[in-house]
Structure formats: C-alpha cells, structure tokens
Amino acid sequence: MAEIENDSLPILPPAELEEVELYHATNFWTKYVFSQDAKIIAIQYSGVAIAVGLVALVLSSLIRLQLGFPEMFDFITPETYYQFVTMHGMIMVVYLLTALFLGGFGNYLIPLMIGARDMAFPYVNMLSFWIYFLAVLVLVASFFVPGGPTGAGWTLYPPQAILSGTPGGQGLGIILMLLSLALFIIGFTMGGLNYVVTVLQMRTRGMTMMRLPLTVWGIFTATVLALLAFPALLVATVMMLFDRLLETSFFMPSLVEFGDHLSYGGGSPILFQHLFWFFGHPEVYIVALPAFGIVSDLISTHARKNIFGYRMMVWAIVGIGALSFIVWAHHMYVSGMHPYFGFFFATTTLIIAVPTALKVYNWILTLWNGNIHLTTPMLFSLGFIVTFLNGGLTGLFLGNVIVDIPLSDTMFVVAHFHMVMGVAPILVIFGAIYHWYPKVAGRMLDERLGQIHFWVTFVGSYLIFFPMHYIGLVGVPRRYPELGDAAFIPDSVATLNSFISLAAFTVGIAQILFLYNLFRSLRKGQPSGHNPWRATTLEWQTAQTPPGHGNFGPELPLVYRWPYDYSVPGASEDFLAQNDPAQIAKGGSA
Amino acid sequence: MTDTSSAKVTASDNRPKGLSGLVEDWSSDQRAFKNVSWRKAMMWIFLLSDTFIFSIFLLSYMTARMSTKVGWPNASEVFSLHIGHTNFPLLLIAIMTFVLISSSGTMVLAVNYGYRKNRNLTAIMLLVTALLGATFVGMQIFEWTKLISEGVRPWGNPMGAPQFGGIFFMITGFHGTHVSIGVIFLLVMALKVWRGDYDKQTPGYFTSRKGEYECVEIMGLYWHFVDLVWVFIFAFFYLW
Ligand code: HEM
Ligand SMILES: [Cu+2]
C-alpha cells in the first residue's frame, strides 16, 4: 500500500554548469595522505574521530570505576577524576560527534547524494581535515604536559577554569584546551563552507532541494548552525585565553584564592555562560540534526516505505535549527536571571519540542505497516527513536524553570543529556556505519556480530542511564567524585552506582566487537555489490563500489524523483532509484 | 572544458523577478543562487559567519563596559593626538578611517578595471589598496604604541576601567589581523593579475579552480566587509 509521490519531471532543465575539472592525484602522498578527494577526507576524519572517541570511552570507564567503587583505586584522585570527566565530555561532543557527523558522513555523503563529483573546494577541504587533526594533537598533548589536562568540566566555566584550584587551571591544560578548540573551529569553518556551498550550488540536474535525501538536509542544516554558533565559542575561547595569559578580567570577578587577593576584578562569569551556551545549545542540534536525517533514511530504506511527511520533516529540521538559537539560557536557570527571562526561555524551549515530537511521530508513521527488515541498521534506528524519545521527555521536565531548579546539576541532567545527545546519536552513527560500510568498503559487515553489538550496546545503555535518573531525583549532584555519608542519600545509590559501572564496562568492551567487525570485514566480509539494501539514493547507483575518483561515470546522474520511492507497485524491483526515469501512474496505490 | 565555477555560464534569463523569482530559484535544481559562482557563494557565507564573530565581540564589549564599576576612559581624551600645544581629539582615528574608506574606493576601481581586463590598472589599484591597508595597520601600530607608552595594559590602565585595555587590544587586534591578512592576499592577487594568471586561467592555489577576474571582485567583498566592520568598531570605541 505505497502512497506514491509522483513529482517526476520527464524533461529536465539543461545543465547550467559545465563539467568540473577534478584535481588528479599523482602519487601516494597526494592520493591517500594529502588527499583532495572528499571520500578519502571523510575516511580520515572518521578514523581520527573514532580513535579519539576511544580515548573518551576509556576515560568514561575510569569515571565509572571511581563512581561505582569509590576509594578503591588510588590512582584516581579528585583531581584526575575532574580531568577524566572534562576530557571525556569535550572529546565526545566536539571531537567525536561533531567531527564524525559533519567531517565524516558529511564529506562522504554530500557529494554522492546530490550527484556531484566532489566538494566545491577540495583544497580547502583537505586543509580542514589537517587543521582538525592538529586540534586533536593539541588536545591529546594536554594529557602529557605537567599538571595534566584541564579539569574545568566540559563547560569550562570561569572563574574556576583558570584558577589554581582546578587541575590544569594554572598549568598548560586549559591553554591547550582553548587553543585546540580555536583550531577546531577554524578547521571546521573551512569544511563547513564547503558543505554549504556544495549543497546549495552543485546539485545535479533534477536534484531540487525538496528532493534531497533527509540525510543531506540534516547535515546541511547542522552545518549552517555550526557556522553561526561556533563564533560564540571562538570569541569565548579567545577572551578566556586573554584572561588566563594576559590577566585581563573579561570573565573574572574580584577574587580571593587561598587567602590571596587576585589581581582580577570587575569581569562577568555570566557573560561566559551566555557565550558558551549560545554555542552550546545549537551544538546539541549540530549533533542531533544529522542523526535525525540519517535515521529517516535508514528507516525508510529498511522498512521499504516512503518517509511519512517529507516536507514536514524538512521544515521541522529547519525550524528546530532556527529555534535552537533562542533557547540557550535554559542551561542557566540557576545562574540567576530575571524571572521574565526564565519565562521566555522556558517557553521557547518547550516550543522546540513541537517540531521534535513531529519528527518522532513521522518516524513511527513511516514504520507503520512497513515491511520492516530487522537488519542491524534498522535495529539501531529503532533504538535511536526510543532513546531519543526518552531523553526528549526528560528535557521537557528540565525545560520548566521550577522543575529544573532542584534537578539542575544533579545526575538527572547527566542522564537526560546522555540519553538525548550521547546514546541516541551514537546509535545512529553505528546504524549509519552498518548501512554505508558496504559502499565504502565494498563488503558487508558481519550481520551476526552486528546484532550482538546492537543488543549489548542498547540494553547496556539503558541499564547505565535509566537508574541514573533515579539517582539524580534523590538529589545526587553531578561532578562529585565521591558522595561520602550524606544523610539524604539512601544506600541504594551506592548499589546502583556499582551496578551502573558494571553495565558501563560491558558496553565498553562490546565496542571491541564492533572494531573487530570493522577490520575483519575489510578482507573477509561478504562482497556487497553496488546496492545491497536496494536503496534509492544516488550513492548506491554509482558505477563502481567503492565509488571511484569523481564519484560517477562519465555522465553525472539525472534525478527524476524524490529519494523515497519504496514498495512501488508495478516497479520491477519494488523501488525506484532517484535516477530512474520510469513513469508511474499518478496517485496510484496497490 | 571551461571552468564550472565561473559566473559566465548563466541560467535562463526569463526567470520571474522578485519574491516569486526567489522561490523559483530555491525550488529549482542545480543551484539555489543562479549566476553566483561557487567561490562568491563561499565568500558570502564566510562573511556571514565572520559577522557573527565580530558581533559577539562587540556585544561582549558592551556587556563589559556596562557592568564595570569603574568609569570607562573618556574616548576624546584617550584617543587624542598632542601636536604642538594643542590636543586634537580623534585626529589619528579620523585619518585612519579616511585611509581605510579610501582603500575601499581603490578596491572598487580594481574590480572595475579587472572586468575590463585592464591588467596593468587592476594590478596598480590592487597595490594601492594594499598600500592603504598597510598604512592603516601602520597607524594602528602607532596608536597601540602610544597607548602602551601611556600605561594602557590589557590588565589595567591609569585612565579608568581595567577592561578598557584588554577589550580594545583584543577587538582592534582582531580587526587589524583581518586587514593584514587582506593586505597579504591583495599583494598576491596583484602579482597574479600582473603576471596575467587570470587571463590564462591559471588555477588558484586555495581553490584549485581556474583563476578569473571574478576573484578580484571576491577579494573586494572581503575588503569592503573589513571596512564595514571598522565603521562599527569606530562608532563603538571612539564615539561612545
Ligand atoms: C525537547 C527537547 C529538549 C529539552 C526541552 C531540553 C532541555 C534541557 C534543559 C532545560 C537542560 C538544562 C538542565 C540543567 O542544567 O539544569 C538540558 C541540558 C542538556 N541537554 Fe537538553 N533538552 C532537549 C533536547 C536535547 C537534545 C536534542 C540534546 C542533544 C542532542 C540535548 C543535550 C543536552 C545537554 C548536553 C545538556 C547538559 C549540558 C550541561 O549542563 O553540561 N538536549 N536540556
Ligand atoms: Cu539546551
């Protein structure tokens, strides 16, 4: 019973641009290392992001070691604990998720999905990766400097971030962190400009904006958000570097530290919070929007159904992106602000829930009566929907000032944002890797290992983060390495904490399975053919798998339809690829 | 094969104008901005992002200035030039602003001569623009030196609120860096024009796309932007 969206144009407008001249690599170095091919750059980005993500994974295990079994491990002091927490959070949010979604998936998928040969500016694209790489090196270097990395928390709030009481505050830790962020932003901007121009100006004939796969819409909108949100972080890092190195007082009030009156005075820590969250909230959607887009495509493909409400989905992505710029102060309800501001930001925050909920309904309606194949990508997509819904609901709680005030800075918030921006996007990343790996490697990932990987990760994540809501509700604060004997904390908290830690180790170890699968399948995986999932989008229609230099054959594909013609009655293969000119009866159903 | 990114390849000219034209363009295939080359689109988007950076810098400045307890130094005294026995408030800055605005004028001429493929005049105008830009940076260095010699430091100053020095050096420094980068690119571009790279369509280093006289116009976009930003900095630092 497929509803057919037949907007196919039999005659396409003529080409507005002539063929692109590609840069041709001549030797190993320009082909694989300083490559200007978006596909290679994508793999480089993904490789570095995953590698540094593994560091963050190890750090999370160390955090859980301390929380689950306090006072058992001498090498975890309160200082190192703060360093672990900070680096874990920052790496996961910025260096893993942002880089992987935009630099990794963006680079690989945008040109292929819109029918282009490469990004608009391959050289700048290459620079983008190398500057990102440099940012990662600077970040990792901070583990090895005297005093270690910063322990200021991923929010880096001043004044504590640059005081001697905070690990790395008076050493090199915080300086390297800020430098690394600034480099990341510069590198990202180079890539981001490329992604935006490529989507806007390089689509193939017949590929209108309203025929773009939702993956492209998600990545495109997220990139626009990033280009407008990262400036706030850049300014904040520059100003904090000034405070730390030149003793300006942009963010620093008058302070007494260990009996010494510091030379600072007159600055505003709240200003930093505004700058940080003006970046920080859009950042959560920079991570979420690509996930929304990708999951829409995965669901549609693996349920053999057209996406429900394509236009609505597009406008929801754009609307969420726009709204995400006017909700930032919901992270600052306890910082002290005029009650009317609280009212304003609570209202905008809850309004965002409308387009978000709309997307969830549309995913469910896409699945409704679909021919659901429980492949690994589909499992991960289903896992995403449930997890995201879960995190979104707790977000509604936190969005209300009066509910948030007691919950702020508790483990409840930690549970919320891990559900919504930790576990959920990671599940999409896994699903997407299982989905697109065959295109990148020409071989399938092992399905059985994938299913085990999914169940351990998904159930494990729930075992970790579900009890954490309860721990937060009874009032356990976040960012405490140990709880001591506080009277308000019941014994069950300690038991639960050990339980959570065991679940966390299990999930951590399960990722080895994934890595093993990733490497083993490079050689031993089943050959996938060009289009193993029988998907409609252009990347699956390339002449070669993996696609060669220039992506498509001598002719660029022509696009005749939207990307969701699945279960088409009368079609020979149950789907019609975007470049399939076949005409189908208008409004027909079977 | 000709260059794809050039603006010369045009979309059909009988598209509707105004709002419905906009809707039409955005719902069409291939390009959302018809007749806009890739590099020009990229520069515009970059400038949008850069606008955010400068706006946030200026907003931070306003916040700091409005929340400080100590009074802000008086602009007409701090920024005055002492010549002979008289104080000329804002004299230096007036000259600096004049120089920078003039450089926008010469930039326009460079773009114009570029499209007429007048190699020599384009190169000369680019050089003059670069020279004016360098003069601006030079005068800024002079101003900084003068302020530093009067005791203005990032962490404090004898005239008033300690944030003054830090904010001033940071924002004018950030802008000065933009001007300096612009000067370097102007010089490189002057060399390319003079060598005839744009006539021969030698590929650019950064874009790896064929060179065109349009690049001069895109350079101009950046230069005018830096100029426009200066107007705001001027207004907020020197006139407030
Ligand atoms: C309906 C949707 C959502 C609502 C209403 C919401 C609301 C909130 C609120 C009010 C807080 C602040 C809690 C506090 O600090 O006391 C918060 C924290 C957070 N949220 Fe959400 N949120 C939503 C969706 C998301 C999404 C989609 C993401 C990421 C993809 C996300 C990531 C985060 C993060 C990272 C934090 C914690 C930041 C920190 O303080 O360290 N949220 N959320
Ligand atoms: Cu938020």
Side-chain angles (χ1 to χ4, degrees), chain A residues 12-23 36 118-124 127 189-190 193-194 196-197 199-209 220 227-229 231-232 234-235 238-239 242 246-250 252 254 263 265-268 271 275 278 325, chain B residues 1-6 9-12 25-43 45-50 52-54 56-57 59-61 63-64 67-69 154-156 162-163 165-167 169-170 174 205-210:
Chain A
L12 293 176
E16 291 171 15
L17 299 173
E18 289 172 51
E19 266 289 356
V20 106
E21 248 182 54
L22 288 173
Y23 168 83
Q36 301 192 22
D118 204 324
M119 286 286 179
F121 300 102
Y123 185 87
V124 180
L127 279 187
T189 305
M190 296 184 156
L193 292 171
N194 250 317
V196 173
V197 174
V199 172
L200 287 179
Q201 301 293 82
M202 291 179 73
R203 283 165 284 130
T204 185
R205 291 168 66 192
M207 182 61 94
T208 62
M209 292 297 272
F220 170 72
L227 287 174
L228 303 182
L234 182 71
V235 171
V238 170
M239 289 172 72
F242 265 60
L246 298 176
E247 297 197 22
T248 54
S249 302
F250 296 138
M252 303 298 281
S254 184
S263 59
S268 162
L271 173 61
L275 295 182
F278 185 79
F325 279 100
Chain B
M1 275 197 272
T2 25
D3 183 8
T4 55
S5 58
S6 97
V9 192
T10 50
S12 87
D25 286 355
W26 277 80
S27 38
S28 76
D29 63 349
Q30 306 183 60
R31 290 188 290 180
F33 300 107
K34 301 295 176 191
N35 304 336
V36 176
S37 67
W38 298 346
R39 42 187 158 214
K40 198 190 273 182
M42 187 188 210
M43 180 53 85
I45 297 165
F46 168 71
L47 293 183
L48 183 66
S49 189
D50 216 13
F52 267 61
I53 297 188
F54 276 109
I56 293 164
F57 264 128
L59 279 169
S60 306
Y61 157 59
T63 320
S67 58
T68 174
K69 287 172 299 181
W155 53 89
Q163 274 81 9
I167 292 257
F169 290 131
M170 181 175 70
F174 200 73
Y205 197 60
F206 274 108
T207 57
S208 39
R209 304 261 175 242
K210 283 176 176 163

Side-chain angles (χ1 to χ4, degrees), chain A residues 454-479:
Chain A
F454 166 75
W455 284 110
V456 178
T457 308
F458 177 69
V459 176
S461 305
Y462 260 79
L463 293 182
I464 297 169
F465 293 111
F466 226 62
M468 213 180 267
H469 289 89
Y470 163 77
I471 294 182
L473 276 175
V474 299
V476 173
R478 68 191 277 211
R479 294 183 176 163

Side-chain angles (χ1 to χ4, degrees), chain A residues 93 154-155 157 277 280-281 283-285 287-288 292 330-334 349-350 352-353 356 388 391-400 404-405 407-410 413-414 416-418 420-422 425 478-479:
Chain A
V93 173
W154 87 282
T155 47
Y157 277 7
W277 288 113
H281 191 85
E283 167 66 26
V284 307
Y285 285 100
V287 169
F292 291 174
H330 64 211
H331 297 275
M332 298 166 57
Y333 288 151
V334 294
T349 303
L350 298 184
I352 276 210
T356 313
F388 185 77
L393 287 176
T394 51
L396 290 180
F397 287 65
L398 297 173
N400 289 285
D404 179 66
I405 285 176
L407 288 176
S408 202
D409 275 320
T410 63
V413 172
V414 178
H416 155 72
F417 71 75
H418 274 94
V420 86
M421 93 169 304
R478 68 191 277 211
R479 294 183 176 163

Side-chain angles (χ1 to χ4, degrees), chain A residues 307-540:
Chain A
I307 193 82
F308 188 91
Y310 173 81
R311 273 161 201 276
M312 238 193 283
M313 292 299 250
V314 170
W315 289 116
I317 288 180
V318 175
I320 292 172
L323 282 171
S324 72
F325 279 100
I326 50 168
V327 299
W328 77 90
H330 64 211
H331 297 275
M332 298 166 57
Y333 288 151
V334 294
S335 303
M337 64 171 123
H338 194 286
Y340 283 150
F341 284 144
F343 175 74
F344 172 80
F345 283 106
T347 311
T348 52
T349 303
L350 298 184
I351 289 175
I352 276 210
V354 176
T356 313
L358 199 145
K359 295 192 77 72
V360 177
Y361 284 123
N362 281 359
W363 288 322
I364 293 171
L365 288 169
T366 303
L367 290 167
W368 193 266
N369 268 344
N371 175 8
I372 299 177
H373 296 49
L374 286 179
T375 53
T376 315
M378 180 52 119
L379 286 176
F380 276 108
S381 306
L382 296 175
F384 164 82
I385 298 180
V386 178
T387 317
F388 185 77
L389 180 63
N390 214 309
L393 287 176
T394 51
L396 290 180
F397 287 65
L398 297 173
N400 289 285
V401 184
I402 210 143
V403 187
D404 179 66
I405 285 176
L407 288 176
S408 202
D409 275 320
T410 63
M411 293 308 270
F412 189 86
V413 172
V414 178
H416 155 72
F417 71 75
H418 274 94
M419 277 291 184
V420 86
M421 93 169 304
V423 179
I426 291 272
L427 289 177
V428 174
I429 284 181
F430 284 137
I433 291 178
Y434 283 96
H435 183 78
W436 276 294
Y437 186 88
K439 188 44 62 173
V440 181
R443 290 174 188 274
M444 307 293 285
L445 282 170
D446 188 276
E447 184 70 14
R448 214 161 48 94
L449 284 180
Q451 303 250 345
I452 300 172
H453 175 220
F454 166 75
W455 284 110
V456 178
T457 308
F458 177 69
V459 176
S461 305
Y462 260 79
L463 293 182
I464 297 169
F465 293 111
F466 226 62
M468 213 180 267
H469 289 89
Y470 163 77
I471 294 182
L473 276 175
V474 299
V476 173
R478 68 191 277 211
R479 294 183 176 163
Y480 274 44
E482 252 176 74
L483 298 174
D485 295 322
F488 70 93
I489 298 176
D491 291 342
S492 58
V493 166
T495 327
L496 272 179
N497 262 335
S498 322
F499 172 78
I500 291 176
S501 292
L502 292 177
F505 303 146
T506 316
V507 172
I509 288 167
Q511 305 317 311
I512 296 175
L513 212 61
F514 171 67
L515 288 179
Y516 170 73
N517 198 350
L518 217 53
F519 286 111
R520 204 194 78 118
S521 304
L522 271 183
R523 285 275 144 72
K524 302 245 171 76
Q526 256 183 41
S528 64
H530 292 312
N531 192 358
W533 310 115
R534 296 179 301 143
T536 57
T537 40
L538 292 181
E539 80 274 23
W540 298 106

